[in-house]
Amino acid sequence: MKGSLIVVAFFVAGCLLGWYLNTRQITIDGDISRYVLYLLMFQVGLSIGSDKNILQILRSLRPKYLLVPLATIIGTLSFSALAAFFISEWSLFDCLAIGSGFAYYSLSSILITELKTASLGVQLATELGTIALITNILREIMALLGAPVFAKFFGRLAPICAGGATTMDTTLPIITKYSGKDLVFIAILHGILVDLSVPFLVSFFCSL
């Protein structure tokens, strides 16, 4: 929870700085966001590759474990598509791109802004990226706060699905507490696979 609030604070600080620079007609090189994106992609690979349990996870991989991240991806995209029917401003594929962030707010928001600039223009692409940022931050916060409720009413796997790509790091402690230590392995595997799907799915839906 604390980590999510810090992210929100940095987001607000960024908005204020952007407004300050804009009022003084100071421009920032557009390539900066692209370099930040490259850095984030490097960080994804680094975090997965440096995981001490990665080899054990790969050796213990069973087909049935893939059903959990698959359920997360299908469920998220289904409800994102449903939301598109109530939002007239954004297309179905825009909503699917936002949902494909799976709580990985930093990567998905920058990726969407970068990829949609050509078709939507800088202003609308930035707006869509901001919506993705806020939506995926809220998903992580809801996973952190709602884990006990999800586990009680929807089963022990529910907090894992709710956590999306964060189940290998930020939401893992709360999942361990309410879903049980025996599901830690599934939570980590789930987080890795969903994490890896983010750049591919976001890029795919942004291209449509």
Side-chain angles (χ1 to χ4, degrees):
M1 178 63 179
K2 181 180 178 181
S4 297
L5 293 177
I6 291 175
V7 170
V8 173
F10 271 99
F11 169 66
V12 173
C15 291
L16 294 175
L17 178 60
W19 174 82
Y20 173 82
L21 295 176
N22 184 55
T23 57
R24 281 155 180 75
Q25 297 183 340
I26 300 174
T27 58
I28 300 177
D29 187 353
D31 287 336
I32 290 180
S33 62
R34 184 178 297 108
Y35 296 138
V36 172
L37 175 60
Y38 295 157
L39 182 62
L40 284 171
M41 294 301 297
F42 176 75
Q43 184 269 330
V44 172
L46 188 64
S47 63
I48 293 176
S50 62
D51 191 328
K52 296 179 180 179
N53 298 317
I54 186 64
L55 292 178
Q56 179 184 353
I57 291 173
L58 292 176
R59 292 194 193 100
S60 305
L61 185 62
R62 298 291 184 274
K64 65 179 181 179
Y65 296 147
L66 300 178
L67 294 176
V68 183
L70 185 62
T72 297
I73 293 172
I74 293 176
T76 299
L77 295 182
S78 297
F79 278 92
S80 297
L82 182 62
F85 289 101
F86 301 95
I87 302 174
S88 58
E89 183 177 356
W90 304 105
S91 71
L92 169 64
F93 300 120
D94 291 335
C95 293
L96 288 172
I98 292 173
S100 297
F102 301 114
Y104 197 161
Y105 42 78
S106 54
L107 176 60
S108 60
S109 59
I110 293 178
L111 193 57
I112 288 173
T113 302
E114 179 73 20
L115 294 174
K116 297 298 289 187
T117 297
S119 59
L120 297 179
V122 175
Q123 183 175 347
L124 286 178
T126 302
E127 183 177 340
L128 188 63
T130 302
I131 293 173
L133 175 66
I134 296 174
T135 299
N136 286 290
I137 286 177
L138 288 176
R139 176 169 183 167
E140 180 180 340
I141 293 176
M142 290 178 64
L144 289 169
L145 297 179
V149 178
F150 297 151
K152 180 178 180 180
F153 291 100
F154 303 104
R156 295 196 301 152
L157 290 175
I160 298 177
C161 291
T166 67
T167 59
M168 60 181 288
D169 41 59
T170 56
T171 58
L172 185 59
I174 200 75
I175 288 172
T176 303
K177 180 177 181 180
Y178 292 103
S179 294
K181 293 182 179 180
D182 56 314
L183 294 185
V184 169
F185 167 77
I186 295 179
I188 295 175
L189 176 65
H190 172 274
I192 291 174
L193 295 179
V194 174
D195 201 333
L196 288 173
S197 75
V198 172
F200 296 103
L201 290 176
V202 171
S203 299
F204 174 70
F205 289 121
C206 283
S207 68
L208 298 176

